[in-house]
Amino acid sequence: MGSNSCDCSIDHTGATTSVLLGVPSPRQVGSDDDARDGLPALPHAVISSGIYRDAEDLPAARAFTDRPQLETNIQLLDLGDGAWCVNHALRQQQIYGGRILRDAYEGLLSGRLPKDAELTHSLLSYGFVAPPGRPPEEFHRSLMATEDAKVEVQPSFTLLRILLTDVCNLSCSYCKVIPNVLAPQAEPTSDDRLAEVIEFFFAHSEPGRPKIIHVTGGEPTLFFEQVRHIVDLKHRLERPGENCWIVLGTNATLIRATHAAFLAQNDVKCIVSMDGPEEIHDKLRRNHGGRGSWRMVDAGVRRLKEAGAEVSLSMVLGQHNLDHAEDVIGWFLDEYQPTGLGVNFMKPPTPDQADYDQLIGADAYADRMYGIHKAFRDRGLFLELVYRKLAPFVEQRYRFHDCGAAGGTNLNVDAKGNVGPCKSFLVMDRLAMRTLDIDEYRSAVVSEWRKRSPIYYRHCDGCSARAMCGNGCAYDAMIHSGDEMAIDVRSCQYTRRFNRLFIEDLFQQIRPSGHIAARWWHIPDRSERQRLMGAVSARPRTLSYSIGHQTLD
């Protein structure tokens, strides 16, 4: 490890302890901070939250022996116009209804069973209600036990991210890689180190499990011979039936016809960074001389498309393009026909720029992103960040971690040859290892960062989005609170907003026309839930697939 000390806030003697959680300071309407469009005011107030040590540490709720009772982690949500939703925040299960549902929920809280026998049976069979004598926190405890057991699980990598170089020919103002690199070097990752790391990656992954080698930087095409070397290593080291593909993350400004032909011939998929048409893109994505880069990016994309390479686009959503996001994405689809589209939540470039003026508010981001998803879901547009939240909701599965770094599935190597679970920490020389040792990786990541899950945080008790959250990004948590184990407050906020939007959208899919009758209630089935996804799906070996957010869940 680059550091021999543990930076997490877990008491390794086994006792439950606390972490400091950065939370927004109170603001008054009309204050100067409101110009930042909802971004939490800085500095943050700090509160304390306990972390449950393990499943046995979860407090036991009183279990009634003479009657059923609501399980824990259930909320009654008022949808307006006489409609309510009872939401199970761990099972990702919802039941919608009129006043009968509200009365049933409130009655169960007071020890009274619903008068409607069919409703009572459904509440029991779908897990909203624990039978007499069964602990109401039993399902929560079982999820914790599932995560507890992963301390003994060997990591199985699904992503190798190669930060090939510390150098970039552009100087995008919100870049959070290049400005954070400690002691940048001019040379790329060496051939020998690449061979060692790629061999290690394959040795600790399952052949049939979908996995990605993501080549990025800096700008990796500055060293295209290294890209060729990585492709050769992949072909030489992969095993029969290996479900692995290479993705090149590039600004495309240096792509020439020969490069495009090589990438297409070797089925290297390309993710190109572009924030919109020229007048939008060039606001923040410029070269070192201050000139816009759009014309060169556009030319590179067209060369890749002409050669037959698969291309996806990656845009960062900020103040510079938020108001035009739908139009920009429609233009992207018509102009370039990308396989997928990454629309990323802009993060502070460095710890010193936590109040970067192009950041947007979490609610504004969620509202815009889900609006885009609904507008284009029937066209199958894969919006990775929406998909990673929506898929668990639709499929009704618990998502323990939002990032493969915390889930023990990500491996990164930088230009210096250091390896680690998280690229943002690696470039800052944190959680950086020289030795390729799977046991060291497991003890440093799986056994510690696995606690970065809402299933363990007391702060998350009562949150309706608990099952789809995963506690966001350790880098963002560290930026805003100084503690990588803290809550990622902005991810927390936009995930809660997503959850509300999903619940409301599902209601629109199943609600009866006209007035909501007092005695109406309904539990959505799988086909009704699937309508939220539309034609969108994650397809391995394409760019309609998550990079870095596949975990051991």
Side-chain angles (χ1 to χ4, degrees):
M1 293 288 291
S3 169
N4 293 322
S5 62
C6 173
D7 292 327
C8 78
S9 299
I10 299 173
D11 180 349
H12 297 279
T13 64
T16 302
T17 187
S18 298
V19 294
L20 299 180
L21 307 179
V23 296
S25 298
R27 294 188 303 153
Q28 295 184 0
V29 176
S31 69
D32 291 341
D33 285 325
D34 283 320
R36 298 171 65 209
D37 193 23
L39 182 71
L42 296 174
H44 296 307
V46 175
I47 62 174
S48 177
S49 175
I51 297 179
Y52 298 119
R53 180 182 61 235
D54 52 31
E56 296 305 313
D57 193 38
L58 183 67
R62 179 185 178 189
F64 296 105
T65 58
D66 58 340
R67 59 177 172 82
Q69 65 189 108
L70 288 168
E71 289 196 353
T72 58
N73 291 276
I74 288 180
Q75 304 83 32
L76 177 69
L77 307 176
D78 187 349
L79 301 177
D81 297 326
W84 282 268
C85 172
V86 173
N87 175 67
H88 198 310
L90 297 185
R91 296 184 186 272
Q92 303 262 40
Q93 181 69 65
Q94 292 78 33
I95 180 170
Y96 295 88
R99 192 171 63 247
I100 187 176
L101 184 63
R102 182 202 65 184
D103 293 346
Y105 175 87
E106 293 177 348
L108 283 163
L109 288 179
S110 301
R112 302 188 308 273
L113 293 177
K115 295 179 180 179
D116 187 308
E118 185 180 359
L119 177 57
T120 300
H121 174 74
S122 293
L123 288 168
L124 278 162
S125 60
Y126 282 88
F128 292 101
V129 169
R134 296 286 291 274
E137 81 287 353
E138 185 175 51
F139 186 69
H140 187 173
R141 196 182 306 279
S142 72
L143 288 172
M144 292 179 72
T146 297
E147 188 64 14
D148 291 344
K150 292 177 187 175
V151 72
E152 302 298 331
V153 172
Q154 287 288 346
S156 178
F157 297 127
T158 59
L159 172 72
L160 170 60
R161 182 181 285 110
I162 300 173
L163 301 164
L164 188 61
T165 175
D166 293 339
V167 179
C168 187
N169 60 321
L170 297 185
S171 183
C172 303
S173 64
Y174 52 75
C175 177
K176 69 182 182 72
V177 177
I178 304 302
N180 286 315
V181 175
L182 298 179
Q185 61 182 41
E187 295 301 314
T189 318
S190 71
D191 287 0
D192 290 344
R193 188 58 166 174
L194 287 171
E196 291 173 349
V197 172
I198 294 174
E199 185 173 9
F200 180 77
F201 171 71
F202 282 128
H204 297 284
S205 64
E206 302 167 30
R209 191 177 186 189
K211 65 184 72 69
I212 296 170
I213 298 176
H214 182 207
V215 186
T216 180
E219 175 48 47
T221 59
L222 286 164
F223 300 96
F224 203 83
E225 286 307 309
Q226 297 295 99
V227 175
R228 294 179 188 272
H229 180 55
I230 292 167
V231 172
D232 290 342
L233 286 169
K234 184 258 185 184
H235 290 324
R236 178 161 57 86
L237 294 171
E238 65 183 345
R239 297 155 291 187
E242 194 83 62
N243 191 5
C244 179
W245 63 105
I246 297 179
V247 174
L248 179 69
T250 176
N251 60 39
T253 58
L254 303 177
I255 295 290
R256 300 296 177 258
T258 54
H259 301 143
F262 172 83
L263 297 170
Q265 289 164 9
N266 287 276
D267 197 27
V268 176
K269 288 88 167 56
C270 298
I271 297 179
V272 178
S273 301
M274 183 185 287
D275 281 359
E278 184 172 7
E279 63 276 10
I280 292 176
H281 176 95
D282 284 351
K283 289 180 180 178
L284 302 181
R285 289 190 180 271
R286 301 182 179 186
N287 64 22
H288 293 280
R291 299 184 62 181
S293 62
W294 183 86
R295 291 182 180 273
M296 297 175 69
V297 177
D298 173 71
V301 172
R302 296 186 187 282
R303 290 188 185 107
L304 290 167
K305 297 284 292 183
E306 289 167 4
E310 184 180 347
V311 176
S312 181
L313 297 178
S314 177
M315 68 182 291
V316 175
L317 202 61
Q319 294 286 4
H320 66 308
N321 57 9
L322 177 67
D323 292 340
H324 308 284
E326 287 90 346
D327 291 340
V328 167
I329 290 171
W331 179 79
F332 277 159
L333 296 180
D334 293 339
E335 192 72 16
Y336 301 112
Q337 298 84 47
T339 299
L341 185 65
V343 185
N344 303 300
F345 190 43
M346 186 183 292
K347 298 181 179 182
T350 70
D352 294 333
Q353 293 174 280
D355 59 349
Y356 180 58
D357 64 5
Q358 292 294 324
L359 301 176
I360 59 175
D363 285 354
Y365 173 74
D367 287 350
R368 188 57 53 94
M369 286 291 292
Y370 199 58
I372 293 167
H373 168 76
K374 290 198 294 184
F376 294 103
R377 63 185 165 195
D378 290 337
R379 294 177 63 174
L381 176 63
F382 184 84
L383 293 169
E384 194 279 330
L385 196 143
V386 173
Y387 182 89
R388 92 170 84 127
K389 302 293 185 184
L390 183 58
F393 179 87
V394 169
E395 297 166 5
Q396 297 176 286
R397 58 180 170 84
Y398 193 93
R399 181 173 173 80
F400 290 94
H401 301 102
D402 196 42
C403 177
T409 56
N410 288 6
L411 181 67
N412 298 265
V413 59
D414 65 11
K416 303 176 186 66
N418 293 325
V419 295
C422 172
K423 71 170 186 179
S424 297
F425 280 83
L426 186 59
V427 299
M428 294 186 287
D429 202 28
R430 298 182 61 174
L431 290 176
M433 304 161 51
R434 280 301 301 181
T435 305
L436 293 172
D437 185 317
I438 197 65
D439 290 329
E440 184 177 356
Y441 177 94
R442 181 176 62 176
S443 65
V445 182
V446 179
S447 63
E448 293 180 8
W449 274 22
R450 70 185 180 87
K451 292 287 187 180
R452 278 194 50 80
S453 175
I455 200 69
Y456 292 109
Y457 281 73
R458 291 181 180 175
H459 180 76
C460 302
D461 290 343
C463 177
S464 64
R466 194 171 197 168
M468 53 179 269
C469 176
N471 196 11
C473 172
Y475 170 83
D476 238 20
M478 186 269 295
I479 290 291
H480 285 97
S481 70
D483 183 358
E484 68 204 47
M485 291 298 293
I487 295 288
D488 176 355
V489 291
R490 293 198 298 163
S491 175
C492 174
Q493 186 176 346
Y494 72 64
T495 301
R496 284 188 284 113
R497 182 60 182 163
F498 270 137
N499 182 252
R500 181 72 185 197
L501 293 170
F502 297 168
I503 287 172
E504 291 175 349
D505 191 11
L506 183 55
F507 176 56
Q508 295 305 317
Q509 306 302 322
I510 58 94
R511 66 167 294 166
S513 59
H515 177 70
I516 301 298
R519 297 194 60 79
W520 172 80
W521 60 273
H522 180 77
I523 297 177
D525 61 26
R526 183 54 57 92
S527 65
E528 289 167 334
R529 303 183 75 88
Q530 186 60 38
R531 292 178 199 166
L532 274 62
M533 199 71 74
V536 178
S537 63
R539 294 179 287 120
R541 306 195 71 87
T542 75
L543 290 172
S544 288
Y545 201 78
S546 176
I547 297 179
H549 297 278
Q550 300 296 323
T551 71
L552 290 174
D553 300 345

